[in-house]
Every structure is written in C-alpha cells, then in structure tokens.
Amino acid sequence: IGKEVAFNLLEGDTVLYGFIVLIVGVLVRVIFAYASLMGGELNWKEKAYVTISSCPKATVQAALGPVALDLARKMESPSETVAFANQVLIVSVLAITATAPLGALLMTKLAPSWLKRSPPVSHLATMDTNGATTDRF
C-alpha cells in the first residue's frame, strides 16, 4: 500500500471530508457498540472500554483500500476514475493512521484503571438429569 499512496495528489477538501466521514463513522460505531452492551452485567467503565477497544480496527480499510485502485487499473478506467480510486486509498491510509494508534494508546492507558480482575471461579456447579446440582472441582 505504501508505495501506491501519493499524498501530493490529495486535495484539502478530500482530507477534510475524509476525516468528517471517519469521525461520523467512529461515533456511530461507538454508540451502537455501547448500546449492544446494555442489559449485561458490565459497569459503565467496562462498557466504555469494550466500546473503545472495538474502534481502532483498521482491518477493513487495509484490506479494501487498495481494491478500488486495483480495479480501476485492471479495468483500464479513465484517469479521472483512477484518481478517485487513489483518493479512496489515501483516505483509507489516513483512517488507519488516525484510528489505530489512538485506539491502542487509549486501551493501554485506560485498562489499568477501568478494568478490574474478578476473583477466579473455584468450582463449577452442574445439573444432572434429575435437576440436582452437583459441584465439580
């Protein structure tokens, strides 16, 4: 990906709109990730941590960013289409460089204060076919 990125071709408006789309996408993801944890037994800090830890995933951008440019070149598209595909690639790289380090930093710094270890489970209770509870060690 690195050699394909030509930042000199990128316009300021593209960067601005790219970051706006990125921020809106991250906010929507955060809201729905937090909402999906409602009704569970996690406290608010644990829910917030799970939400934060789900955001810096740059796998999709890394996998799909170059696809548009590859398809445009393979189909011998007009130069305007190749330029748009290059913008998609560059905005994908910007999304990766903006979200992944920030997410990793937040997870590293917040984990010690927001997450607490639970005491280990000493034994498991199971039910037999008659409904009686038996302990297994």
Side-chain angles (χ1 to χ4, degrees):
I1 292 178
K3 70 178 186 152
E4 296 292 332
V5 177
F7 286 105
N8 59 340
L9 299 177
L10 195 60
E11 297 175 5
D13 288 348
T14 304
V15 174
L16 176 65
Y17 293 136
F19 275 119
I20 289 171
V21 168
L22 176 66
I23 289 169
V24 170
V26 167
L27 287 175
V28 168
R29 187 172 184 167
V30 164
I31 290 167
F32 281 99
Y34 193 85
S36 70
L37 297 169
M38 302 304 265
E41 296 181 13
L42 300 176
N43 63 37
W44 75 268
K45 287 182 179 180
E46 293 167 335
K47 289 177 186 176
Y49 186 83
V50 169
T51 300
I52 290 169
S53 69
S54 73
C55 285
K57 306 294 187 250
T59 309
V60 173
Q61 291 89 343
L64 296 180
V67 171
L69 188 57
D70 288 343
L71 281 174
R73 287 179 178 163
K74 185 184 287 184
M75 297 174 63
E76 299 178 5
S77 300
S79 61
E80 183 179 273
T81 305
V82 174
F84 287 141
N86 195 39
Q87 287 180 352
V88 169
L89 174 64
I90 293 171
V91 170
S92 296
V93 171
L94 290 174
I96 293 167
T97 57
T99 59
L102 179 62
L105 178 68
L106 286 173
M107 290 185 330
T108 303
K109 295 296 181 186
L110 295 176
S113 60
W114 283 14
L115 302 177
K116 303 294 180 215
R117 284 197 186 272
S118 299
V121 177
S122 60
H123 66 278
L124 300 174
T126 59
M127 283 191 168
D128 63 14
T129 55
N130 297 327
T133 304
T134 57
D135 290 333
R136 290 187 348 190
F137 293 95

